[in-house]
Amino acid sequence: MAKRPKAALTAKTADKHVLYEASVQCPEAEIDFVDKTFRRLRGRHAVSLREDFCGTAATACEWVRRRPSNTSVGVDLHGPTLAWGKKHHVASLSDEAKQRLTLLKADVRSPGSPAASGTDIVLAMNFSYWIFKTRQDLIGYFRSVHASLGKEGVFFLDHFGGWEAQRPQQERRKQKGFTYVWDQAEIDMISGQGTCKIHFEFKDGTRMKNAFTYSWRLWSLIEIREALVEAGFGPVTVYWEGDDGKGGGNGIFKPTKKGEACPCYVAYISAEK
Ligand SMILES: C[S@@+](CC[C@H](N)C(=O)[O-])C[C@H]1O[C@@H](n2cnc3c(N)ncnc32)[C@H](O)[C@@H]1O
């Protein structure tokens, strides 16, 4: 039987979490990076991982899928997003893998058991920790992560910057069936605080405006490094992305001491206990 063509996406029919994940997340690549880096730093595979600000918990699910010994905990404050993740990601795990995953509706600063001690890896990705707008709050969060890690534990974060990150602008990226719009809506040069939004546009002309809104402080990389050290972490390493030769990144992140001046970058950071 001939396959019926898929109905085109519109603002009414599309699911914002599906669009978000397709536009800005790649849990497989993220787990490839943290798995390999932990092994290089510690000489063994990590077993337990906590995904802070987990949203739909796509990465926590990828971790338990990766190896039968892996366990993960996803932590997020927002019940409906966690519920979406249960329905769309957790439900497709095997029964055995489901046993190795826990989702907690909690504040990342006080996640409670079983996420509060002895963890190999804690992740804070997609710049989510920028919701902490003062040094005190940021360092308070970093201290609680430090306390949650086991003695060989490693905290992984990401960071974006460059001069393009510092100004109001919209960036459009075509995706399959829709356009992703990253909107740096407001930036206050004195407080360093800003509002970023995600919108989605569809071929029929409809628009999902303000699908996601983030009220953030745009921390610099050096501020983050210093805050991690102040929170008690040992070596802090920045991983800079290689060049694809066409003005973009090649998806390969290597430990780097000096960051090239560039309009925009995304980097990973590891902070070792
Ligand atoms: C940008 S999303 C991150 C989603 C996903 N982890 C990713 O990498 O794309 C940020 C998430 O952080 C959650 N969040 C914000 N403040 C939080 C807090 N203090 N504790 C736990 N979750 C929080 C929000 O509910 C939201 O789901």
Side-chain angles (χ1 to χ4, degrees), residues 104-150:
L104 299 175
K105 182 172 175 291
D107 191 299
V108 293
R109 289 165 291 185
S110 47
S113 173
S117 66
T119 306
D120 280 336
I121 290 175
V122 174
L123 298 181
M125 295 300 193
N126 258 326
F127 332 111
S128 308
Y129 61 96
W130 288 6
I131 55 139
F132 299 121
K133 293 179 179 154
T134 64
R135 247 182 96 68
Q136 196 183 10
D137 284 350
L138 183 75
I139 292 173
Y141 167 57
F142 288 171
R143 284 205 174 105
S144 76
V145 171
H146 188 269
S148 304
L149 289 166

Side-chain angles (χ1 to χ4, degrees), residues 9-69:
L9 288 174
T10 71
K12 257 205 170 128
T13 60
D15 180 325
K16 69 174 190 172
H17 293 297
V18 172
L19 306 182
Y20 173 92
E21 290 185 356
S23 306
V24 303
Q25 267 196 306
C26 184
E28 296 82 1
E30 200 166 291
I31 289 299
D32 283 349
F33 173 78
V34 300
D35 199 22
K36 200 170 79 187
T37 307
F38 184 93
R39 186 150 187 222
R40 203 174 38 73
L41 293 173
R42 300 307 195 208
R44 67 168 175 92
H45 279 307
V47 175
S48 51
L49 174 145
R50 184 177 103 200
E51 184 189 9
D52 279 355
F53 312 100
C54 71
T56 60
T59 305
C61 287
E62 178 59 21
W63 182 251
V64 294
R65 235 182 258 121
R66 204 42 82 96
R67 266 189 304 277
S69 51

